[in-house]
Amino acid sequence: MLDLFADEEPWQESLAPGAVVLRRFALPDTEALMRGIGQVISQSPLRHMVTPGGYTMSVAMTNCGALGWTTDQYGYLYAPVDPQTQRPWPAIPEAFLALCQKASTAAGYPDFRPDACLINRYAPGAKLSLHQDKDEPDLRAPIVSVSLGLPAIFQFGGLKRNDPLQRLMLEHGDIVVWGGESRLYYHGIAPLKAGYHPITGECRYNLTFRHASNSK
Ligand code: SIN
Ligand code: FE2
């Protein structure tokens, strides 16, 4: 399918110390990314995880990579095996890795080697409450977060839950990278507004790349 937006030039916006938005950076790759998502979810389907507190998350999730982020009755953890299929998570597709490498380098983190990629799917109304990404033992590695499809409002705060929030619209092809001083900053996604996007249909996807093992 022709990507009508593929010729828009990317640009960068700084967000916080160590954090940058790479606007439209993923546009040339979005169709390859969607094929990768299709392959991953055919092996490890999207599912609504249940938090340790018993709350069913509105965002549907799955993973690829050596480790996948998941929940159990005790908490949040990275696991090498998909608890639903009892098989290892699918490998991270080559197109994902190539884009992540380009993006982390552009953002000033050329050594980032992700071993976990969380795939989030937002239907209208789905949201992700304010949280920190803090289940990774090595906090030297940044987070690389790719937005596909319907736009969403990203909230980006500070080290404390009640620090003031910046609100920015993330659109198809945008990538946010945060690390260093802002690695543990609170962030979240406001409830998704209904709409239609030619590449993703009636939803938004997000790919979140992390280094989740102990070793470099
Ligand atoms: C996340 O914080 O894991 C996802 C953020 C997003 O969907 O953009
Ligand atoms: Fe997060």
Short mmCIF file of all heavy atoms in Angstrom, two decimals, residues 118 120 122 128-129 131-134 143 145 154 178 185 187-188 206 208 210, ligand 2:
data_model
loop_
_atom_site.label_atom_id
_atom_site.label_comp_id
_atom_site.label_asym_id
_atom_site.label_seq_id
_atom_site.Cartn_x
_atom_site.Cartn_y
_atom_site.Cartn_z
N LEU A 118 7.96 -4.40 23.71
CA LEU A 118 6.55 -4.50 24.08
C LEU A 118 5.72 -3.91 22.95
O LEU A 118 6.04 -2.83 22.45
CB LEU A 118 6.33 -3.71 25.38
CG LEU A 118 4.90 -3.57 25.91
CD1 LEU A 118 4.36 -4.92 26.37
CD2 LEU A 118 4.87 -2.56 27.06
N ASN A 120 2.03 -2.51 22.15
CA ASN A 120 0.78 -2.06 22.77
C ASN A 120 -0.22 -1.73 21.67
O ASN A 120 0.12 -1.05 20.70
CB ASN A 120 1.02 -0.75 23.55
CG ASN A 120 1.90 -0.94 24.75
OD1 ASN A 120 1.72 -1.87 25.52
ND2 ASN A 120 2.87 -0.05 24.92
N TYR A 122 -3.88 0.19 21.24
CA TYR A 122 -4.91 1.02 21.87
C TYR A 122 -6.13 1.07 20.97
O TYR A 122 -6.04 1.52 19.83
CB TYR A 122 -4.41 2.45 22.06
CG TYR A 122 -3.23 2.60 22.99
CD1 TYR A 122 -1.95 2.23 22.59
CD2 TYR A 122 -3.39 3.14 24.26
CE1 TYR A 122 -0.86 2.39 23.45
CE2 TYR A 122 -2.30 3.31 25.12
CZ TYR A 122 -1.04 2.92 24.70
OH TYR A 122 0.03 3.08 25.55
N LEU A 128 -3.13 4.47 29.22
CA LEU A 128 -2.09 3.92 30.07
C LEU A 128 -1.83 4.95 31.16
O LEU A 128 -1.38 6.07 30.87
CB LEU A 128 -0.83 3.65 29.25
CG LEU A 128 0.16 2.64 29.78
CD1 LEU A 128 -0.48 1.27 30.01
CD2 LEU A 128 1.33 2.49 28.80
N SER A 129 -2.18 4.61 32.38
CA SER A 129 -2.05 5.56 33.49
C SER A 129 -0.59 5.93 33.70
O SER A 129 0.32 5.17 33.32
CB SER A 129 -2.60 4.97 34.77
OG SER A 129 -3.88 4.46 34.55
N HIS A 131 2.97 6.22 34.83
CA HIS A 131 3.83 5.19 35.42
C HIS A 131 5.28 5.49 35.08
O HIS A 131 5.57 6.31 34.21
CB HIS A 131 3.45 3.80 34.88
CG HIS A 131 3.75 3.65 33.41
ND1 HIS A 131 2.90 4.12 32.43
CD2 HIS A 131 4.82 3.13 32.76
CE1 HIS A 131 3.43 3.89 31.24
NE2 HIS A 131 4.60 3.29 31.41
N GLN A 132 6.18 4.78 35.76
CA GLN A 132 7.60 4.81 35.42
C GLN A 132 7.96 3.46 34.80
O GLN A 132 7.42 2.44 35.22
CB GLN A 132 8.45 4.96 36.68
CG GLN A 132 8.28 6.28 37.41
CD GLN A 132 8.98 6.23 38.76
OE1 GLN A 132 8.56 5.49 39.64
NE2 GLN A 132 10.02 7.02 38.93
N ASP A 133 8.88 3.45 33.85
CA ASP A 133 9.42 2.18 33.35
C ASP A 133 10.60 1.86 34.28
O ASP A 133 11.69 2.40 34.10
CB ASP A 133 9.92 2.32 31.91
CG ASP A 133 8.78 2.41 30.90
OD1 ASP A 133 7.61 2.59 31.31
OD2 ASP A 133 9.08 2.32 29.69
N LYS A 134 10.37 0.99 35.25
CA LYS A 134 11.42 0.76 36.24
C LYS A 134 11.62 -0.72 36.56
O LYS A 134 12.18 -1.07 37.59
CB LYS A 134 11.11 1.54 37.51
CG LYS A 134 9.78 1.18 38.13
CD LYS A 134 9.58 1.84 39.47
CE LYS A 134 8.30 1.31 40.07
NZ LYS A 134 7.83 2.07 41.21
N ILE A 143 14.81 4.23 26.73
CA ILE A 143 13.57 3.65 26.22
C ILE A 143 13.34 4.26 24.84
O ILE A 143 13.49 5.48 24.66
CB ILE A 143 12.38 4.04 27.13
CG1 ILE A 143 12.61 3.60 28.58
CG2 ILE A 143 11.07 3.51 26.56
CD1 ILE A 143 12.52 2.13 28.83
N SER A 145 10.39 4.48 21.93
CA SER A 145 8.95 4.25 21.86
C SER A 145 8.39 4.77 20.52
O SER A 145 8.46 5.97 20.24
CB SER A 145 8.32 4.97 23.05
OG SER A 145 6.94 4.97 22.97
N PHE A 154 0.34 12.03 24.76
CA PHE A 154 1.38 11.47 25.63
C PHE A 154 1.62 12.48 26.73
O PHE A 154 1.82 13.67 26.48
CB PHE A 154 2.64 11.27 24.78
CG PHE A 154 3.82 10.63 25.48
CD1 PHE A 154 3.72 9.37 26.06
CD2 PHE A 154 5.05 11.30 25.51
CE1 PHE A 154 4.84 8.78 26.67
CE2 PHE A 154 6.16 10.70 26.11
CZ PHE A 154 6.05 9.44 26.68
N TRP A 178 13.76 8.33 25.64
CA TRP A 178 14.15 8.97 26.89
C TRP A 178 15.12 8.09 27.64
O TRP A 178 15.02 6.87 27.65
CB TRP A 178 12.95 9.40 27.74
CG TRP A 178 12.04 8.36 28.30
CD1 TRP A 178 12.08 7.85 29.56
CD2 TRP A 178 10.91 7.74 27.65
NE1 TRP A 178 11.05 6.95 29.73
CE2 TRP A 178 10.32 6.87 28.57
CE3 TRP A 178 10.36 7.84 26.35
CZ2 TRP A 178 9.20 6.09 28.27
CZ3 TRP A 178 9.26 7.07 26.04
CH2 TRP A 178 8.70 6.22 26.99
N TYR A 185 11.38 9.14 34.38
CA TYR A 185 10.29 10.12 34.43
C TYR A 185 8.94 9.43 34.22
O TYR A 185 8.81 8.50 33.42
CB TYR A 185 10.48 11.20 33.35
CG TYR A 185 11.43 12.32 33.73
CD1 TYR A 185 12.37 12.16 34.74
CD2 TYR A 185 11.38 13.53 33.04
CE1 TYR A 185 13.24 13.20 35.07
CE2 TYR A 185 12.25 14.58 33.37
CZ TYR A 185 13.17 14.40 34.38
OH TYR A 185 14.02 15.43 34.69
N HIS A 187 5.24 8.87 32.88
CA HIS A 187 4.63 9.12 31.58
C HIS A 187 3.36 8.28 31.45
O HIS A 187 3.18 7.31 32.20
CB HIS A 187 5.61 8.82 30.45
CG HIS A 187 6.11 7.40 30.46
ND1 HIS A 187 7.12 6.98 31.31
CD2 HIS A 187 5.71 6.31 29.79
CE1 HIS A 187 7.33 5.69 31.14
NE2 HIS A 187 6.48 5.24 30.22
N GLY A 188 2.52 8.64 30.50
CA GLY A 188 1.28 7.89 30.29
C GLY A 188 0.61 8.32 29.00
O GLY A 188 1.09 9.22 28.30
N ASN A 206 1.85 0.93 19.57
CA ASN A 206 3.09 1.50 20.09
C ASN A 206 4.07 0.35 20.29
O ASN A 206 3.70 -0.71 20.79
CB ASN A 206 2.80 2.21 21.42
CG ASN A 206 4.08 2.50 22.20
OD1 ASN A 206 4.46 1.74 23.08
ND2 ASN A 206 4.76 3.57 21.85
N THR A 208 7.57 -0.43 22.22
CA THR A 208 8.48 0.10 23.23
C THR A 208 9.68 -0.83 23.36
O THR A 208 9.53 -1.98 23.80
CB THR A 208 7.78 0.25 24.59
OG1 THR A 208 6.67 1.12 24.45
CG2 THR A 208 8.73 0.85 25.61
N ARG A 210 13.28 -1.90 24.97
CA ARG A 210 14.02 -1.78 26.23
C ARG A 210 15.17 -2.78 26.28
O ARG A 210 15.13 -3.81 25.60
CB ARG A 210 13.10 -2.07 27.41
CG ARG A 210 12.01 -1.04 27.62
CD ARG A 210 10.75 -1.70 27.95
NE ARG A 210 9.69 -0.74 28.25
CZ ARG A 210 8.52 -1.10 28.74
NH1 ARG A 210 8.29 -2.36 29.01
NH2 ARG A 210 7.59 -0.21 28.95
FE FE2 B 2 6.08 3.22 29.86
#
